[in-house]
Amino acid sequence: MDVTTAHAAGDCRSVSEILSRVGDKWTIQVIVALRQGPARFNGMKRQVNGISQQMLTRTLKALERDGMVVRTVHHSTPPQVEYRLTELGFSLSETARQLAEWATLNSDAIAQNRIRYDGRDRP
Amino acid sequence: MDVTTAHAAGDCRSVSEILSRVGDKWTIQVIVALRQGPARFNGMKRQVNGISQQMLTRTLKALERDGMVVRTVHHSTPPQVEYRLTELGFSLSETARQLAEWATLNSDAIAQNRIRYDGRDRP
DNA sequence: CAGAATCCATTTGGATACTG
DNA sequence: CAGTATCCAAATGGATTCTG
C-alpha cells in the first residue's frame, strides 16, 4: 500500500493547501516551461502565453519561497536574472507535465460537454 | 514526440483555463475521493476533509458540467443521489492521484522551505 | 531588463438560514 | 438526505505607471 492510499489519498489538510497553491492559473504552466532549462524573466513572459508581468512575478516568488525555483542575479548591464527548477520543482514538473498533457488532450471533449450541459433545459 | 512536446507543453489558451478549473481548492480532492467508487453527497462531505456544503455542491456541479462526473437520483425516502466518475473523470483521476501523492510526500519539505525563506532578512 | 507599486474587477470560498 | 439562497470576506488576476 502506498502512502497515498494509506492517507486515503488526500485527507490531510496540508494537501488541500498545496494543491490550491500549485493549481492556480499559472503555476503549473510556469513549472512546465522551466523544465526545458533555466530561463530569464522576459523570456518566460513570452513563453507562458498570456501571463501578465505581475502574475509572473508573484508566481515565481511563491515558487522560490516553496523551494521549487532558484533565482540567480547576474549583475551585468543589462541585468540578468535567471530562474531554474530545484530538484523539488523538477519532481513536481513531471506530474505537472502529465496534467498539462491531459488538459491538452481533453480540452475539446470538455468544451463539448459544457455545450451539451448548458443546452439542456435547466433552471 | 508526444502531443505535449509538440505543443510546447501548455501554451494553448485552453490549457490554462482547464488547469485553473481542476486546480481550485477542492476539485482534485473530490475526484480522488471518487476513485474508490460512487459516493453520496454527505458521504463525500465527510470524506473530503474541511469542505463546506456549498463548495461541494459547486464543485460537483462543475464536474458534472465538464462531463467528469455523473449524478444519479434515486427517488426513495430518504432521497439518494449518487455521484460517480465518467471515463473522462477517471482518466483525470490517475494524474490527480499522482499530484495528491506528490503533495502528501512533499508538504513537509515545502513547509520548511517557507520557514527558511521567511526567516531571511528581506523587505 | 527585471521588477515594484497601485488600483480595481472578478472569483473563490466560508457561514448561515431555509427547503422538498 | 441533498441540496438552494444569500451575504460577505479574502484571494486572484489584469492593466497601468514608475524605477534601479
Side-chain angles (χ1 to χ4, degrees), chain B residues 58 76 96 107:
Chain B
R58 283 194 207 174
S76 51
S107 61

Side-chain angles (χ1 to χ4, degrees), chain A residues 38-112:
Chain A
R40 291 166 53 191
F41 190 86
N42 281 328
M44 301 193 64
K45 188 155 163 10
R46 277 184 294 274
Q47 202 176 147
V48 180
N49 197 295
I51 196 170
S52 69
Q53 177 263 337
Q54 177 179 126
M55 289 316 297
L56 182 55
T57 301
R58 283 194 206 174
T59 303
L60 285 169
K61 201 157 274 177
L63 287 173
E64 192 194 353
R65 183 167 107 101
D66 289 350
M68 311 241 266
V69 158
V70 278
R71 177 178 181 273
T72 313
V73 183
H74 301 285
H75 292 284
S76 51
T77 44
Q80 289 195 353
V81 180
E82 181 192 270
Y83 294 91
R84 68 172 196 278
L85 291 178
T86 61
E87 267 199 49
L88 181 64
F90 191 77
S91 74
L92 174 59
S93 82
E94 309 274 15
T95 307
R97 203 207 77 253
Q98 285 194 37
L99 194 57
E101 183 170 351
W102 183 91
T104 305
L105 289 171
N106 295 286
S107 61
D108 284 358
I110 291 177
Q112 287 178 3

